[in-house]
Amino acid sequence: MKNRDIYLIGLNHKTASVEVREKFALTDCKHLEAGVIPVGGCIKEVMVLSTCNRVEILAVGEGDGVISHIISCWADARGQKLDDLEPYVYRHKGLDAVQHLFTVASSLDSLVVGEPQILGQLKSAYHEAVQHNATKVILNRLLHKAFSVAKRVRTETGVASSAVSISYAAVELAKRIFGDMGNYSAMLIGAGEMAELAATHLLNNGIRKIYVANRTFERGQQLACQFNGEAVPFSDLFNQLEKVDIIISSTGAHEAIIRAKDIRNVLKKRKNRPMFFIDIAVPRDIDPDVNGLDNVYLYDIDDLKEVVEENLAQRQEEAQKAREIVGQETRTFGRWLRSLELQPTIVDLVARSEAIVEEELARCMKRLDGANGETEKILRAALTAAARKFNHEPISFLKRRHEEEEAGARYIDITRRMFNLDNDPVDENAHRSRRNHHSCTAAGDDA
Amino acid sequence: MNLHELFSLLIILMYGLGTATVIAGTVSRKDRLKKLSNGFAVAGFGLHTAILLIEMVGSDFDLSKGYYIQFLSWSLLVIYFYMWWRMRYSFLGLTASPLAMLLFIGSFSLTGVQGTLPTEWTGMFFGLHIGTLFLSFGLLAMAFGAGLLFMRLDRKIKTKEPLSDFDKDMPALSTFDRVNHIAVMAGFPLYTIGMASGFIWARLAWGRLLSADPKEIVSIFVWFMFAWLFHQRLALGRRGRKAALAVIWLFAISVFSLVGINVFMPTHHSFIQ
């Protein structure tokens, strides 16, 4: 386990332009199968995440050349020069890599902070790595932890709770008015792209039916077909409004096509059931006075933009809380990682003492010639208990020191050398030559 | 401390904890606390039912000793549990738990009053009169809380003000309006039955339908207002802000009728002779 560490090498929308990202994308999901980053040699475990905004290679490796090896494999796989890749690449090692991964999983590093897609992409990448046996104990634990951190961030902060696109904000507002959308219907007036997007969101949220009113009836029919809805003649617009609750308007008309007095009549026919107008046309299709009517709510494109901007600002505030959670979880993971480093030393220490017990037991039994099995049993129990008690303090000491990040590795090293757990040959004069070396150095310093 | 005192303290404690947890759950946006508040309300309600039954079976049951208000508090929770079962929204607990607690505590201000009820204060019409009026009061209380929240959310959506976390956790406007609808549709017939049975009982007991008691006058006014709102909702489809406002006023006048008149004006509805 010596020198084995977690590495994360990648580029994203912050460090590289879309051209560079395209050039070095590893979008083919068979890159692990094809051995783009082969497991073996200095790479012990690996996982590749490639999305439109980022390519990241997460690896557990041993030795100093892990990073350069991965970058060179990556450039080779894309048939590009190393120099074209290196300037855009960020490199994280150890807990920095862990923290970066948790930040990515929690969508704090995304183009739109809080968007949930990245978690799904990360899960797919991990699934692929597992299928190719490219992950082992450290990455398995790390990725499961990353998923739980993302969940915690989602639950404990509002980082993903508000809408950050115009069409989504409109649907969220509709939910504030109507609640469950299953009993309501919507109408698209005109056929703009944003209106289509809002209609898609409404359908995803279970709206009962979508009507389309377009000046060109055929185009309206096409669109209605797309949403499994119904086209209505534009000339019959006000009669049709009676049966719809949400109206998304995006015509190219030069002046308002819906006025407050028209809606007042519609409301009477509807027995005052609420209506929500979303006007995304510029110039506006709906007279602003409509908002003054009881049970009628009107939002135009600027209102929706404001909602989106507020939500974005709120997400940034929540992101700060989320980063604190990521920090905490990184420290927790660091403790587990350090305990992993400690484990082989404890195992070796116990094994060494058990070997000594067996050796001494054999010697005693030889001297107690004629002793029976009962005596051997008692002796083994006594020696084992003594060895266990003797080990107890050094093991507790090591565990305590491992809680301190800086000291951990040093004490493992000292313990291994002190008990010669690596069976290194020790020169009989090593101690003397070391002492001479110290006194020479001291003399030199004095001079 | 006798059993009655012990139960009363426990009931206040449960309703108090219910109030504290529903407020804390709403402020901190923790569903677990909101669920806990319902648990406290159910526990308090169970004890409350037990104490009412024990006292009714015993010989000491006397409406003049605060049971009148305690029964009102109990009815309010019956309505709350019904609404909660129908809608699964804990926001109604924001009205129910505090109001139930305040009414229960308020009932003790009448325990020291020595009064006797006329023998006629029993019988079917009296039971009908009290029971239906209290249930309609419970419905109005729920609609009052929903109405206040409706007004707040409606104003924010209309004026495009940013929504706070509190607003975002609230149900949709349509849900508040539904509470109002149920309260008016069920509350008005109950209120009408309550008024009618009261008049019939008065005719049987005192030989007259009306006695120009201040409470009777205000109650008749409330009935007209209730009738107007019932008609508006049923026939004209009145809903939303104006319906919420009407129910808020209706509840406020009912509270005045219940508390203000009983405490500050001479009325035979205070049950003291």
Side-chain angles (χ1 to χ4, degrees):
Chain A
M1 206 52 89
K2 220 172 182 183
N3 290 329
R4 188 172 287 193
D5 218 332
I6 298 171
Y7 296 88
L8 191 145
I9 296 101
L11 53 79
N12 64 15
H13 55 281
K14 292 175 191 166
T15 65
S17 65
V18 67
E19 288 81 16
V20 176
R21 297 203 304 271
E22 275 169 2
K23 205 161 39 168
F24 291 100
L26 293 168
T27 42
D28 180 5
C29 65
K30 302 224 182 303
H31 42 257
L32 283 174
E33 197 177 16
V36 170
I37 316 286
V39 180
C42 63
I43 308 287
K44 304 299 173 196
E45 302 178 48
V46 71
M47 191 200 88
V48 178
L49 170 71
S50 184
T51 72
C52 53
N53 275 337
R54 69 181 66 244
V55 182
E56 292 190 346
I57 296 158
L58 184 66
V60 173
E62 217 170 60
D64 298 329
V66 176
I67 291 177
S68 54
H69 177 67
I70 288 174
I71 295 175
S72 118
C73 287
W74 183 2
D76 285 349
R78 298 298 296 155
Q80 302 289 337
K81 286 186 211 153
L82 197 62
D83 292 348
D84 290 346
L85 175 61
E86 277 198 311
Y88 305 104
V89 169
Y90 43 80
R91 303 150 172 89
H92 296 292
K93 188 181 167 193
L95 286 189
D96 282 347
V98 173
Q99 181 152 4
H100 181 86
L101 179 73
F102 289 175
T103 308
V104 169
S106 311
S107 188
L108 299 173
D109 196 48
S110 300
L111 188 62
V112 180
V113 170
E115 289 295 279
Q117 289 89 337
I118 185 67
L119 188 60
Q121 289 161 334
L122 194 63
K123 281 181 178 171
S124 303
Y126 173 59
H127 182 64
E128 194 213 339
V130 170
Q131 276 185 328
H132 291 96
N133 294 322
T135 62
K136 291 186 185 73
V137 66
I138 295 179
L139 282 198
N140 285 338
R141 174 92 174 200
L142 178 60
L143 265 298
H144 283 116
K145 190 71 187 167
F147 303 146
S148 79
V149 171
K151 191 179 172 194
R152 197 182 151 199
V153 163
R154 241 160 222 289
T155 319
E156 293 182 21
T157 73
V159 78
S161 64
S162 47
V164 288
S165 73
I166 298 279
S167 52
Y168 201 65
V171 175
E172 287 294 302
L173 276 165
K175 280 198 215 162
R176 299 250 157 262
I177 298 165
F178 300 106
D180 178 20
M181 306 286 261
N183 296 322
Y184 299 96
S185 55
M187 180 187 275
L188 299 186
I189 305 175
E193 194 185 329
M194 212 183 288
E196 282 184 41
L197 207 57
T200 310
H201 278 310
L202 285 171
L203 279 173
N204 289 341
N205 281 279
I207 195 110
R208 188 166 50 86
K209 190 162 188 181
I210 289 193
Y211 297 88
V212 181
N214 199 51
R215 282 192 200 278
T216 318
F217 189 69
E218 287 71 30
R219 169 74 184 123
Q221 273 183 319
Q222 271 176 6
L223 201 58
C225 190
Q226 191 181 322
F227 296 120
N228 210 12
E230 186 183 324
V232 294
F234 200 83
S235 52
D236 198 27
L237 181 66
F238 289 105
N239 287 330
Q240 300 293 335
L241 281 180
E242 186 190 328
K243 58 187 176 192
V244 292
D245 309 285
I246 300 163
I247 298 97
I248 305 166
S249 188
S250 66
T251 72
H254 295 294
E255 56 183 29
I257 56 168
I258 296 174
R259 297 187 184 279
K261 65 175 170 37
D262 307 320
I263 299 306
R264 209 169 277 133
N265 293 332
V266 172
L267 275 174
K268 264 185 205 163
K269 288 184 196 163
R270 286 172 56 83
K271 285 204 166 186
N272 290 302
R273 276 182 289 126
M275 297 179 90
F276 180 35
F277 289 88
I278 303 155
D279 185 357
I280 42 187
V282 179
R284 285 179 293 184
D285 284 340
I286 302 166
D287 178 8
D289 287 350
V290 166
N291 195 45
L293 299 171
D294 260 355
N295 302 321
V296 177
Y297 307 89
L298 166 66
Y299 273 68
D300 63 31
I301 189 84
D302 284 355
D303 299 329
L304 290 170
K305 263 185 197 157
E306 256 177 59
V307 172
V308 167
E309 276 160 23
E310 273 155 21
N311 288 348
L312 276 170
Q314 198 186 359
R315 277 195 182 197
Q316 290 303 332
E317 276 175 34
E318 292 296 312
Q320 190 48 43
K321 282 187 215 163
R323 284 195 183 94
E324 281 163 25
I325 292 173
V326 165
Q328 281 171 22
E329 296 288 356
T330 305
R331 286 191 288 278
T332 308
F333 191 80
R335 278 198 287 277
W336 177 79
L337 212 54
R338 284 197 300 283
S339 76
L340 211 60
E341 289 169 2
L342 182 62
Q343 210 57 33
T345 303
I346 293 174
V347 169
D348 288 350
L349 197 60
V350 172
R352 168 59 56 94
S353 61
E354 280 170 359
I356 293 170
V357 164
E358 287 304 321
E359 205 176 292
E360 291 305 316
L361 185 67
R363 194 174 293 162
C364 279
M365 290 306 289
K366 205 178 274 178
R367 287 170 69 186
L368 293 169
D369 193 22
N372 59 18
E374 188 61 25
T375 311
E376 186 183 346
K377 205 171 156 187
I378 292 167
L379 272 175
R380 175 175 276 118
L383 287 168
T384 307
R388 199 172 291 150
K389 280 184 182 168
F390 182 79
N391 283 337
H392 176 75
E393 283 305 326
I395 289 172
S396 304
F397 173 82
L398 277 175
K399 281 183 177 170
R400 277 199 306 274
R401 286 297 166 268
H402 251 72
E403 292 295 311
E404 300 161 20
E405 202 171 332
E406 297 300 321
R410 191 159 65 91
Y411 282 105
I412 286 180
D413 189 44
I414 290 171
T415 308
R416 298 197 76 84
R417 283 161 62 192
M418 192 186 287
F419 292 96
N420 195 15
L421 297 179
D422 297 318
N423 291 321
D424 291 333
V426 183
D427 181 8
E428 277 182 19
N429 296 321
H431 182 63
R432 192 179 297 154
S433 61
R434 193 174 166 79
R435 197 171 54 188
N436 290 340
H437 171 75
H438 275 294
S439 40
C440 288
T441 315
D445 286 347
D446 285 342
Chain B
M1 185 183 284
N2 60 31
L3 186 69
H4 183 274
E5 285 167 341
L6 177 70
F7 265 46
S8 298
L9 274 177
L10 284 173
I11 292 165
I12 292 170
L13 181 70
M14 290 298 121
Y15 289 165
L17 286 170
T19 303
T21 44
V22 74
I23 293 170
T26 307
V27 171
S28 65
R29 310 176 79 189
K30 294 237 161 52
D31 283 339
R32 202 177 289 173
L33 280 175
K34 291 180 196 168
K35 278 183 189 157
L36 193 63
S37 81
N38 277 332
F40 285 128
V42 168
F45 179 76
L47 290 166
H48 197 155
T49 309
I51 201 174
L52 284 174
L53 285 173
I54 290 167
E55 296 298 334
M56 271 181 181
V57 171
S59 58
D60 200 30
F61 190 70
D62 185 344
L63 278 175
S64 71
K65 288 189 175 176
Y67 293 115
Y68 171 69
I69 305 291
Q70 282 192 15
F71 186 52
L72 179 60
S73 162
W74 183 88
S75 309
L76 183 77
L77 282 171
V78 169
I79 295 296
Y80 166 61
F81 292 135
Y82 170 74
M83 290 273 202
W84 185 66
W85 170 67
R86 285 285 301 269
M87 303 198 166
R88 295 280 158 195
Y89 275 120
S90 55
F91 75 92
L92 292 170
L94 281 171
T95 313
S97 290
L99 210 53
M101 183 184 69
L102 287 175
L103 285 170
F104 192 82
I105 293 171
S107 72
F108 290 98
S109 62
L110 295 175
T111 50
V113 176
Q114 292 300 310
T116 49
L117 290 173
T119 48
E120 308 89 71
W121 283 103
T122 49
M124 187 185 77
F125 286 111
F126 180 66
L128 206 58
H129 175 61
I130 294 283
T132 50
L133 285 181
F134 282 3
L135 287 177
S136 66
F137 181 84
L139 285 162
L140 277 181
M142 292 300 108
F144 168 77
L148 286 179
L149 293 169
F150 180 97
M151 298 290 283
R152 176 190 164 94
L153 193 56
D154 177 77
R155 184 179 54 79
K156 288 212 163 184
I157 295 176
K158 278 264 184 200
T159 57
K160 288 126 191 184
E161 264 183 59
L163 298 179
S164 64
D165 290 342
F166 175 78
D167 301 316
K168 284 179 183 166
D169 288 345
M170 285 289 121
L173 287 175
S174 63
T175 308
F176 293 131
D177 199 59
R178 200 164 146 232
V179 174
N180 187 310
H181 184 80
I182 292 172
V184 174
M185 290 298 120
F188 177 67
L190 284 171
Y191 196 86
T192 307
I193 294 168
M195 291 285 284
S197 52
F199 288 135
I200 294 169
W201 174 83
R203 180 78 178 85
L204 294 173
W206 292 329
R208 59 181 192 267
L209 283 174
L210 276 166
S211 51
D213 184 81
K215 189 146 186 161
E216 286 172 6
I217 293 165
V218 175
S219 300
I220 290 169
F221 176 74
V222 168
W223 184 84
F224 273 112
M225 207 170 152
F226 225 152
W228 170 80
L229 189 58
F230 184 78
H231 170 258
Q232 289 273 316
R233 275 210 90 107
L234 203 64
L236 306 177
R238 166 79 63 214
R239 59 180 77 219
R241 203 178 63 87
K242 282 182 184 162
L245 203 58
V247 134
I248 290 168
W249 275 107
L250 206 52
F251 179 74
I253 297 168
S254 301
V255 170
F256 169 72
S257 160
L258 192 78
V259 181
I261 292 177
N262 273 32
V263 174
F264 300 111
M265 290 182 184
T267 169
H268 54 244
H269 281 83
S270 65
F271 303 140
I272 298 159
Q273 287 192 329

